[in-house]
mmCIF file of all heavy atoms in Angstrom:
data_model
loop_
_atom_site.group_PDB
_atom_site.id
_atom_site.type_symbol
_atom_site.label_atom_id
_atom_site.label_comp_id
_atom_site.label_asym_id
_atom_site.label_seq_id
_atom_site.Cartn_x
_atom_site.Cartn_y
_atom_site.Cartn_z
ATOM 1 N N LEU A 17 0.821 -1.199 0.000
ATOM 2 C CA LEU A 17 0.000 0.000 0.000
ATOM 3 C C LEU A 17 0.862 1.260 0.000
ATOM 4 O O LEU A 17 0.575 2.216 -0.716
ATOM 5 C CB LEU A 17 -0.908 -0.010 1.245
ATOM 6 C CG LEU A 17 -2.269 0.612 1.038
ATOM 7 C CD1 LEU A 17 -3.125 -0.282 0.192
ATOM 8 C CD2 LEU A 17 -2.905 0.899 2.357
ATOM 9 N N PHE A 18 1.906 1.235 0.802
ATOM 10 C CA PHE A 18 2.826 2.375 0.869
ATOM 11 C C PHE A 18 3.533 2.591 -0.467
ATOM 12 O O PHE A 18 3.621 3.713 -0.956
ATOM 13 C CB PHE A 18 3.838 2.150 2.011
ATOM 14 C CG PHE A 18 4.806 3.280 2.164
ATOM 15 C CD1 PHE A 18 4.386 4.511 2.636
ATOM 16 C CD2 PHE A 18 6.141 3.113 1.815
ATOM 17 C CE1 PHE A 18 5.273 5.559 2.772
ATOM 18 C CE2 PHE A 18 7.034 4.154 1.945
ATOM 19 C CZ PHE A 18 6.602 5.388 2.429
ATOM 20 N N LEU A 19 4.014 1.534 -1.105
ATOM 21 C CA LEU A 19 4.689 1.639 -2.406
ATOM 22 C C LEU A 19 3.717 2.110 -3.497
ATOM 23 O O LEU A 19 4.068 2.914 -4.355
ATOM 24 C CB LEU A 19 5.325 0.300 -2.787
ATOM 25 C CG LEU A 19 6.549 -0.106 -1.965
ATOM 26 C CD1 LEU A 19 7.006 -1.493 -2.358
ATOM 27 C CD2 LEU A 19 7.669 0.889 -2.143
ATOM 28 N N THR A 20 2.493 1.631 -3.447
ATOM 29 C CA THR A 20 1.482 2.052 -4.414
ATOM 30 C C THR A 20 1.188 3.539 -4.249
ATOM 31 O O THR A 20 1.057 4.269 -5.229
ATOM 32 C CB THR A 20 0.196 1.235 -4.214
ATOM 33 O OG1 THR A 20 0.509 -0.147 -4.267
ATOM 34 C CG2 THR A 20 -0.830 1.549 -5.280
ATOM 35 N N ALA A 21 1.098 3.983 -3.026
ATOM 36 C CA ALA A 21 0.830 5.394 -2.764
ATOM 37 C C ALA A 21 1.967 6.264 -3.266
ATOM 38 O O ALA A 21 1.739 7.344 -3.809
ATOM 39 C CB ALA A 21 0.602 5.618 -1.272
ATOM 40 N N LEU A 22 3.195 5.825 -3.119
ATOM 41 C CA LEU A 22 4.339 6.600 -3.600
ATOM 42 C C LEU A 22 4.363 6.701 -5.109
ATOM 43 O O LEU A 22 4.656 7.756 -5.671
ATOM 44 C CB LEU A 22 5.652 5.977 -3.105
ATOM 45 C CG LEU A 22 6.023 6.230 -1.656
ATOM 46 C CD1 LEU A 22 7.318 5.491 -1.307
ATOM 47 C CD2 LEU A 22 6.185 7.698 -1.392
ATOM 48 N N THR A 23 4.051 5.617 -5.793
ATOM 49 C CA THR A 23 4.100 5.636 -7.257
ATOM 50 C C THR A 23 2.886 6.330 -7.857
ATOM 51 O O THR A 23 2.944 6.849 -8.956
ATOM 52 C CB THR A 23 4.206 4.209 -7.824
ATOM 53 O OG1 THR A 23 3.109 3.447 -7.352
ATOM 54 C CG2 THR A 23 5.516 3.565 -7.441
ATOM 55 N N SER A 24 1.776 6.357 -7.151
ATOM 56 C CA SER A 24 0.574 6.985 -7.694
ATOM 57 C C SER A 24 0.529 8.489 -7.447
ATOM 58 O O SER A 24 -0.396 9.142 -7.878
ATOM 59 C CB SER A 24 -0.668 6.318 -7.126
ATOM 60 O OG SER A 24 -0.741 6.537 -5.737
ATOM 61 N N CYS A 25 1.490 9.029 -6.786
ATOM 62 C CA CYS A 25 1.515 10.476 -6.548
ATOM 63 C C CYS A 25 1.640 11.257 -7.847
ATOM 64 O O CYS A 25 1.298 12.426 -7.912
ATOM 65 C CB CYS A 25 2.659 10.852 -5.609
ATOM 66 S SG CYS A 25 2.305 10.404 -3.898
ATOM 67 N N GLU A 26 2.124 10.603 -8.891
ATOM 68 C CA GLU A 26 2.250 11.279 -10.183
ATOM 69 C C GLU A 26 0.886 11.709 -10.713
ATOM 70 O O GLU A 26 0.775 12.656 -11.457
ATOM 71 C CB GLU A 26 2.915 10.343 -11.189
ATOM 72 C CG GLU A 26 4.352 10.040 -10.854
ATOM 73 C CD GLU A 26 4.950 8.992 -11.791
ATOM 74 O OE1 GLU A 26 4.323 8.680 -12.831
ATOM 75 O OE2 GLU A 26 6.027 8.505 -11.477
ATOM 76 N N TYR A 27 -0.175 10.985 -10.326
ATOM 77 C CA TYR A 27 -1.510 11.335 -10.793
ATOM 78 C C TYR A 27 -1.997 12.659 -10.221
ATOM 79 O O TYR A 27 -2.885 13.285 -10.753
ATOM 80 C CB TYR A 27 -2.513 10.234 -10.436
ATOM 81 C CG TYR A 27 -2.245 8.935 -11.148
ATOM 82 C CD1 TYR A 27 -1.882 7.798 -10.438
ATOM 83 C CD2 TYR A 27 -2.342 8.850 -12.533
ATOM 84 C CE1 TYR A 27 -1.635 6.602 -11.076
ATOM 85 C CE2 TYR A 27 -2.092 7.662 -13.184
ATOM 86 C CZ TYR A 27 -1.738 6.537 -12.456
ATOM 87 O OH TYR A 27 -1.495 5.366 -13.101
ATOM 88 N N PHE A 28 -1.426 13.069 -9.130
ATOM 89 C CA PHE A 28 -1.850 14.292 -8.476
ATOM 90 C C PHE A 28 -1.029 15.510 -8.871
ATOM 91 O O PHE A 28 -1.320 16.606 -8.448
ATOM 92 C CB PHE A 28 -1.811 14.124 -6.951
ATOM 93 C CG PHE A 28 -2.735 13.047 -6.472
ATOM 94 C CD1 PHE A 28 -2.243 11.852 -5.972
ATOM 95 C CD2 PHE A 28 -4.109 13.217 -6.552
ATOM 96 C CE1 PHE A 28 -3.093 10.862 -5.546
ATOM 97 C CE2 PHE A 28 -4.967 12.234 -6.119
ATOM 98 C CZ PHE A 28 -4.461 11.035 -5.617
ATOM 99 N N GLU A 29 -0.009 15.304 -9.672
ATOM 100 C CA GLU A 29 0.817 16.438 -10.106
ATOM 101 C C GLU A 29 0.020 17.296 -11.077
ATOM 102 O O GLU A 29 -0.709 16.791 -11.920
ATOM 103 C CB GLU A 29 2.095 15.947 -10.795
ATOM 104 C CG GLU A 29 3.115 15.406 -9.845
ATOM 105 C CD GLU A 29 4.400 15.019 -10.568
ATOM 106 O OE1 GLU A 29 4.642 15.539 -11.673
ATOM 107 O OE2 GLU A 29 5.134 14.217 -10.018
ATOM 108 N N LYS A 30 0.175 18.583 -10.973
ATOM 109 C CA LYS A 30 -0.502 19.505 -11.881
ATOM 110 C C LYS A 30 0.407 19.769 -13.071
ATOM 111 O O LYS A 30 1.604 19.946 -12.919
ATOM 112 C CB LYS A 30 -0.808 20.822 -11.173
ATOM 113 C CG LYS A 30 -1.862 20.697 -10.130
ATOM 114 C CD LYS A 30 -2.204 22.048 -9.571
ATOM 115 C CE LYS A 30 -3.263 21.914 -8.507
ATOM 116 N NZ LYS A 30 -3.617 23.192 -7.935
ATOM 117 N N GLN A 31 -0.217 19.792 -14.232
ATOM 118 C CA GLN A 31 0.537 20.111 -15.427
ATOM 119 C C GLN A 31 0.518 21.618 -15.618
ATOM 120 O O GLN A 31 -0.532 22.254 -15.549
ATOM 121 C CB GLN A 31 -0.132 19.467 -16.642
ATOM 122 C CG GLN A 31 0.741 18.515 -17.359
ATOM 123 C CD GLN A 31 0.028 17.996 -18.603
ATOM 124 O OE1 GLN A 31 -1.100 18.331 -18.880
ATOM 125 N NE2 GLN A 31 0.724 17.177 -19.338
ATOM 126 N N LYS A 32 1.669 22.179 -15.847
ATOM 127 C CA LYS A 32 1.739 23.611 -16.087
ATOM 128 C C LYS A 32 1.583 23.854 -17.587
ATOM 129 O O LYS A 32 2.206 23.200 -18.403
ATOM 130 C CB LYS A 32 3.082 24.170 -15.610
ATOM 131 C CG LYS A 32 3.235 24.124 -14.108
ATOM 132 C CD LYS A 32 4.507 24.788 -13.677
ATOM 133 C CE LYS A 32 4.631 24.756 -12.169
ATOM 134 N NZ LYS A 32 5.855 25.400 -11.716
ATOM 135 N N VAL A 33 0.730 24.826 -17.934
ATOM 136 C CA VAL A 33 0.489 25.178 -19.327
ATOM 137 C C VAL A 33 0.955 26.612 -19.514
ATOM 138 O O VAL A 33 0.540 27.509 -18.791
ATOM 139 C CB VAL A 33 -1.010 25.045 -19.680
ATOM 140 C CG1 VAL A 33 -1.244 25.399 -21.128
ATOM 141 C CG2 VAL A 33 -1.511 23.641 -19.385
ATOM 142 N N SER A 34 1.788 26.800 -20.496
ATOM 143 C CA SER A 34 2.322 28.147 -20.718
ATOM 144 C C SER A 34 1.281 29.023 -21.411
ATOM 145 O O SER A 34 0.367 28.540 -22.071
ATOM 146 C CB SER A 34 3.599 28.086 -21.555
ATOM 147 O OG SER A 34 3.286 27.742 -22.884
ATOM 148 N N SER A 35 1.436 30.313 -21.273
ATOM 149 C CA SER A 35 0.512 31.254 -21.905
ATOM 150 C C SER A 35 0.610 31.172 -23.431
ATOM 151 O O SER A 35 -0.365 31.386 -24.134
ATOM 152 C CB SER A 35 0.784 32.675 -21.424
ATOM 153 O OG SER A 35 2.111 33.049 -21.711
ATOM 154 N N GLU A 36 1.796 30.810 -23.942
ATOM 155 C CA GLU A 36 1.970 30.658 -25.388
ATOM 156 C C GLU A 36 1.122 29.498 -25.906
ATOM 157 O O GLU A 36 0.525 29.582 -26.980
ATOM 158 C CB GLU A 36 3.440 30.430 -25.761
ATOM 159 C CG GLU A 36 4.325 31.653 -25.612
ATOM 160 C CD GLU A 36 4.816 31.852 -24.184
ATOM 161 O OE1 GLU A 36 4.793 30.895 -23.382
ATOM 162 O OE2 GLU A 36 5.199 32.988 -23.860
ATOM 163 N N GLU A 37 1.058 28.399 -25.128
ATOM 164 C CA GLU A 37 0.248 27.252 -25.535
ATOM 165 C C GLU A 37 -1.237 27.609 -25.533
ATOM 166 O O GLU A 37 -1.979 27.221 -26.431
ATOM 167 C CB GLU A 37 0.498 26.062 -24.612
ATOM 168 C CG GLU A 37 1.853 25.426 -24.793
ATOM 169 C CD GLU A 37 2.106 24.303 -23.783
ATOM 170 O OE1 GLU A 37 1.131 23.799 -23.192
ATOM 171 O OE2 GLU A 37 3.275 23.950 -23.607
ATOM 172 N N ILE A 38 -1.661 28.364 -24.532
ATOM 173 C CA ILE A 38 -3.063 28.790 -24.463
ATOM 174 C C ILE A 38 -3.397 29.693 -25.650
ATOM 175 O O ILE A 38 -4.417 29.525 -26.310
ATOM 176 C CB ILE A 38 -3.361 29.506 -23.126
ATOM 177 C CG1 ILE A 38 -3.230 28.521 -21.968
ATOM 178 C CG2 ILE A 38 -4.746 30.142 -23.152
ATOM 179 C CD1 ILE A 38 -3.294 29.166 -20.604
ATOM 180 N N LEU A 39 -2.523 30.644 -25.940
ATOM 181 C CA LEU A 39 -2.737 31.552 -27.065
ATOM 182 C C LEU A 39 -2.775 30.788 -28.379
ATOM 183 O O LEU A 39 -3.627 31.029 -29.228
ATOM 184 C CB LEU A 39 -1.633 32.617 -27.100
ATOM 185 C CG LEU A 39 -1.708 33.613 -28.248
ATOM 186 C CD1 LEU A 39 -2.998 34.423 -28.163
ATOM 187 C CD2 LEU A 39 -0.516 34.535 -28.242
ATOM 188 N N SER A 40 -1.880 29.844 -28.535
ATOM 189 C CA SER A 40 -1.830 29.042 -29.757
ATOM 190 C C SER A 40 -3.124 28.257 -29.938
ATOM 191 O O SER A 40 -3.681 28.198 -31.040
ATOM 192 C CB SER A 40 -0.632 28.097 -29.705
ATOM 193 O OG SER A 40 -0.621 27.262 -30.819
ATOM 194 N N GLU A 41 -3.612 27.663 -28.878
ATOM 195 C CA GLU A 41 -4.862 26.901 -28.923
ATOM 196 C C GLU A 41 -6.040 27.816 -29.254
ATOM 197 O O GLU A 41 -6.877 27.477 -30.080
ATOM 198 C CB GLU A 41 -5.091 26.200 -27.580
ATOM 199 C CG GLU A 41 -6.321 25.334 -27.533
ATOM 200 C CD GLU A 41 -6.227 24.104 -28.410
ATOM 201 O OE1 GLU A 41 -5.101 23.632 -28.680
ATOM 202 O OE2 GLU A 41 -7.292 23.626 -28.843
ATOM 203 N N GLU A 42 -6.117 28.964 -28.633
ATOM 204 C CA GLU A 42 -7.194 29.919 -28.893
ATOM 205 C C GLU A 42 -7.168 30.386 -30.340
ATOM 206 O O GLU A 42 -8.197 30.517 -30.985
ATOM 207 C CB GLU A 42 -7.066 31.140 -27.967
ATOM 208 C CG GLU A 42 -7.513 30.900 -26.557
ATOM 209 C CD GLU A 42 -9.015 30.861 -26.424
ATOM 210 O OE1 GLU A 42 -9.698 31.691 -27.031
ATOM 211 O OE2 GLU A 42 -9.495 29.977 -25.712
ATOM 212 N N THR A 43 -5.979 30.654 -30.863
ATOM 213 C CA THR A 43 -5.828 31.132 -32.231
ATOM 214 C C THR A 43 -6.314 30.085 -33.227
ATOM 215 O O THR A 43 -6.952 30.416 -34.218
ATOM 216 C CB THR A 43 -4.357 31.491 -32.511
ATOM 217 O OG1 THR A 43 -3.953 32.474 -31.556
ATOM 218 C CG2 THR A 43 -4.173 32.058 -33.898
ATOM 219 N N ARG A 44 -6.036 28.827 -32.957
ATOM 220 C CA ARG A 44 -6.491 27.757 -33.851
ATOM 221 C C ARG A 44 -8.009 27.623 -33.824
ATOM 222 O O ARG A 44 -8.623 27.295 -34.838
ATOM 223 C CB ARG A 44 -5.863 26.418 -33.445
ATOM 224 C CG ARG A 44 -4.465 26.231 -33.957
ATOM 225 C CD ARG A 44 -4.040 24.785 -33.791
ATOM 226 N NE ARG A 44 -4.106 24.335 -32.406
ATOM 227 C CZ ARG A 44 -3.085 24.307 -31.571
ATOM 228 N NH1 ARG A 44 -1.906 24.688 -31.964
ATOM 229 N NH2 ARG A 44 -3.240 23.880 -30.325
ATOM 230 N N GLU A 45 -8.624 27.873 -32.682
ATOM 231 C CA GLU A 45 -10.059 27.686 -32.540
ATOM 232 C C GLU A 45 -10.886 28.876 -33.022
ATOM 233 O O GLU A 45 -12.069 28.728 -33.294
ATOM 234 C CB GLU A 45 -10.410 27.387 -31.077
ATOM 235 C CG GLU A 45 -9.920 26.034 -30.622
ATOM 236 C CD GLU A 45 -10.206 25.769 -29.156
ATOM 237 O OE1 GLU A 45 -10.876 26.588 -28.508
ATOM 238 O OE2 GLU A 45 -9.747 24.734 -28.661
ATOM 239 N N LEU A 46 -10.297 30.058 -33.136
ATOM 240 C CA LEU A 46 -11.041 31.238 -33.560
ATOM 241 C C LEU A 46 -11.394 31.158 -35.037
ATOM 242 O O LEU A 46 -10.595 30.719 -35.858
ATOM 243 C CB LEU A 46 -10.213 32.509 -33.340
ATOM 244 C CG LEU A 46 -10.173 33.064 -31.932
ATOM 245 C CD1 LEU A 46 -9.266 34.277 -31.880
ATOM 246 C CD2 LEU A 46 -11.540 33.425 -31.430
ATOM 247 N N ASN A 47 -12.586 31.617 -35.385
ATOM 248 C CA ASN A 47 -12.991 31.721 -36.779
ATOM 249 C C ASN A 47 -12.621 33.132 -37.247
ATOM 250 O O ASN A 47 -13.321 34.093 -36.948
ATOM 251 C CB ASN A 47 -14.492 31.479 -36.924
ATOM 252 C CG ASN A 47 -14.942 31.546 -38.357
ATOM 253 O OD1 ASN A 47 -14.187 31.908 -39.259
ATOM 254 N ND2 ASN A 47 -16.188 31.196 -38.589
ATOM 255 N N TRP A 48 -11.544 33.231 -37.979
ATOM 256 C CA TRP A 48 -11.038 34.541 -38.401
ATOM 257 C C TRP A 48 -11.822 35.125 -39.566
ATOM 258 O O TRP A 48 -11.581 36.251 -39.985
ATOM 259 C CB TRP A 48 -9.555 34.453 -38.737
ATOM 260 C CG TRP A 48 -8.737 34.240 -37.510
ATOM 261 C CD1 TRP A 48 -8.150 33.089 -37.091
ATOM 262 C CD2 TRP A 48 -8.435 35.210 -36.501
ATOM 263 N NE1 TRP A 48 -7.507 33.269 -35.900
ATOM 264 C CE2 TRP A 48 -7.660 34.568 -35.511
ATOM 265 C CE3 TRP A 48 -8.747 36.556 -36.333
ATOM 266 C CZ2 TRP A 48 -7.196 35.220 -34.388
ATOM 267 C CZ3 TRP A 48 -8.280 37.195 -35.208
ATOM 268 C CH2 TRP A 48 -7.516 36.535 -34.258
ATOM 269 N N GLN A 49 -12.768 34.364 -40.126
ATOM 270 C CA GLN A 49 -13.568 34.867 -41.232
ATOM 271 C C GLN A 49 -14.790 35.640 -40.742
ATOM 272 O O GLN A 49 -15.483 36.255 -41.536
ATOM 273 C CB GLN A 49 -14.015 33.705 -42.125
ATOM 274 C CG GLN A 49 -12.862 32.926 -42.724
ATOM 275 C CD GLN A 49 -11.888 33.789 -43.490
ATOM 276 O OE1 GLN A 49 -12.291 34.617 -44.305
ATOM 277 N NE2 GLN A 49 -10.614 33.621 -43.231
ATOM 278 N N GLU A 50 -15.059 35.589 -39.453
ATOM 279 C CA GLU A 50 -16.197 36.304 -38.884
ATOM 280 C C GLU A 50 -15.724 37.274 -37.819
ATOM 281 O O GLU A 50 -14.722 37.037 -37.162
ATOM 282 C CB GLU A 50 -17.181 35.314 -38.257
ATOM 283 C CG GLU A 50 -17.852 34.411 -39.257
ATOM 284 C CD GLU A 50 -18.822 33.450 -38.607
ATOM 285 O OE1 GLU A 50 -19.134 33.633 -37.415
ATOM 286 O OE2 GLU A 50 -19.259 32.518 -39.287
ATOM 287 N N VAL A 51 -16.472 38.346 -37.670
ATOM 288 C CA VAL A 51 -16.150 39.335 -36.636
ATOM 289 C C VAL A 51 -17.214 39.284 -35.552
ATOM 290 O O VAL A 51 -18.331 38.825 -35.785
ATOM 291 C CB VAL A 51 -16.052 40.764 -37.230
ATOM 292 C CG1 VAL A 51 -14.880 40.878 -38.173
ATOM 293 C CG2 VAL A 51 -17.334 41.174 -37.915
ATOM 294 N N ASP A 52 -16.867 39.748 -34.373
ATOM 295 C CA ASP A 52 -17.833 39.803 -33.273
ATOM 296 C C ASP A 52 -18.765 40.995 -33.444
ATOM 297 O O ASP A 52 -19.928 40.944 -33.090
ATOM 298 C CB ASP A 52 -17.111 39.911 -31.932
ATOM 299 C CG ASP A 52 -16.264 38.686 -31.640
ATOM 300 O OD1 ASP A 52 -16.552 37.605 -32.186
ATOM 301 O OD2 ASP A 52 -15.303 38.813 -30.859
ATOM 302 N N GLN A 53 -18.221 42.078 -33.988
ATOM 303 C CA GLN A 53 -18.997 43.300 -34.184
ATOM 304 C C GLN A 53 -18.639 43.887 -35.543
ATOM 305 O O GLN A 53 -17.459 44.072 -35.859
ATOM 306 C CB GLN A 53 -18.664 44.287 -33.075
ATOM 307 C CG GLN A 53 -19.624 45.419 -32.963
ATOM 308 C CD GLN A 53 -19.348 46.234 -31.709
ATOM 309 O OE1 GLN A 53 -18.206 46.391 -31.300
ATOM 310 N NE2 GLN A 53 -20.396 46.754 -31.107
ATOM 311 N N TYR A 54 -19.654 44.149 -36.368
ATOM 312 C CA TYR A 54 -19.436 44.690 -37.710
ATOM 313 C C TYR A 54 -19.082 46.173 -37.646
ATOM 314 O O TYR A 54 -19.393 46.841 -36.660
ATOM 315 C CB TYR A 54 -20.698 44.498 -38.567
ATOM 316 C CG TYR A 54 -20.819 43.096 -39.087
ATOM 317 C CD1 TYR A 54 -21.567 42.154 -38.405
ATOM 318 C CD2 TYR A 54 -20.166 42.694 -40.236
ATOM 319 C CE1 TYR A 54 -21.656 40.854 -38.852
ATOM 320 C CE2 TYR A 54 -20.254 41.402 -40.692
ATOM 321 C CZ TYR A 54 -20.998 40.489 -40.005
ATOM 322 O OH TYR A 54 -21.085 39.202 -40.453
ATOM 323 N N PRO A 55 -18.465 46.684 -38.720
ATOM 324 C CA PRO A 55 -18.245 48.133 -38.750
ATOM 325 C C PRO A 55 -19.607 48.829 -38.680
ATOM 326 O O PRO A 55 -20.611 48.261 -39.100
ATOM 327 C CB PRO A 55 -17.572 48.394 -40.099
ATOM 328 C CG PRO A 55 -17.476 47.108 -40.795
ATOM 329 C CD PRO A 55 -18.033 46.037 -39.924
ATOM 330 N N ALA A 56 -19.615 50.032 -38.163
ATOM 331 C CA ALA A 56 -20.903 50.695 -37.973
ATOM 332 C C ALA A 56 -20.775 52.206 -38.074
ATOM 333 O O ALA A 56 -19.743 52.778 -37.747
ATOM 334 C CB ALA A 56 -21.475 50.330 -36.608
ATOM 335 N N PHE A 57 -21.859 52.813 -38.535
ATOM 336 C CA PHE A 57 -22.018 54.248 -38.437
ATOM 337 C C PHE A 57 -22.632 54.526 -37.075
ATOM 338 O O PHE A 57 -23.106 53.609 -36.399
ATOM 339 C CB PHE A 57 -22.929 54.769 -39.556
ATOM 340 C CG PHE A 57 -22.343 54.608 -40.927
ATOM 341 C CD1 PHE A 57 -22.771 53.597 -41.769
ATOM 342 C CD2 PHE A 57 -21.335 55.455 -41.362
ATOM 343 C CE1 PHE A 57 -22.221 53.445 -43.027
ATOM 344 C CE2 PHE A 57 -20.776 55.301 -42.615
ATOM 345 C CZ PHE A 57 -21.225 54.294 -43.454
ATOM 346 N N GLU A 58 -22.672 55.755 -36.667
ATOM 347 C CA GLU A 58 -23.172 56.118 -35.342
ATOM 348 C C GLU A 58 -24.572 55.537 -35.081
ATOM 349 O O GLU A 58 -24.826 54.981 -34.016
ATOM 350 C CB GLU A 58 -23.193 57.643 -35.188
ATOM 351 C CG GLU A 58 -23.560 58.116 -33.802
ATOM 352 C CD GLU A 58 -22.545 57.724 -32.735
ATOM 353 O OE1 GLU A 58 -21.338 57.839 -32.982
ATOM 354 O OE2 GLU A 58 -22.986 57.297 -31.656
ATOM 355 N N GLU A 59 -25.463 55.645 -36.068
ATOM 356 C CA GLU A 59 -26.844 55.193 -35.848
ATOM 357 C C GLU A 59 -26.998 53.665 -35.838
ATOM 358 O O GLU A 59 -28.060 53.161 -35.477
ATOM 359 C CB GLU A 59 -27.807 55.811 -36.879
ATOM 360 C CG GLU A 59 -27.407 55.615 -38.318
ATOM 361 C CD GLU A 59 -26.496 56.716 -38.860
ATOM 362 O OE1 GLU A 59 -25.959 57.492 -38.075
ATOM 363 O OE2 GLU A 59 -26.329 56.773 -40.069
#
């Protein structure tokens, strides 16, 4: 039980994700052919 607990601690480690990886993922998922807000005149 003690040996199993020592080897299974790897499951509890947190993976660090860099901001570059997050940005890269977001960029791939964005639809660059559409805009959130169209150009507009005042009215």
Side-chain angles (χ1 to χ4, degrees):
L17 214 72
F18 181 70
L19 289 175
T20 306
L22 283 177
T23 57
S24 65
C25 285
E26 293 174 12
Y27 295 115
F28 299 110
E29 285 184 22
K30 290 185 180 180
Q31 240 184 358
K32 292 185 179 180
V33 181
S34 71
S35 58
E36 288 83 19
E37 289 176 18
I38 294 171
L39 178 62
S40 176
E41 183 68 26
E42 283 284 318
T43 302
R44 279 193 302 264
E45 291 177 5
L46 280 178
N47 181 352
W48 290 104
Q49 300 305 313
E50 294 180 12
V51 294
D52 296 336
Q53 195 171 35
Y54 281 94
F57 294 103
E58 186 65 43
E59 53 271 14

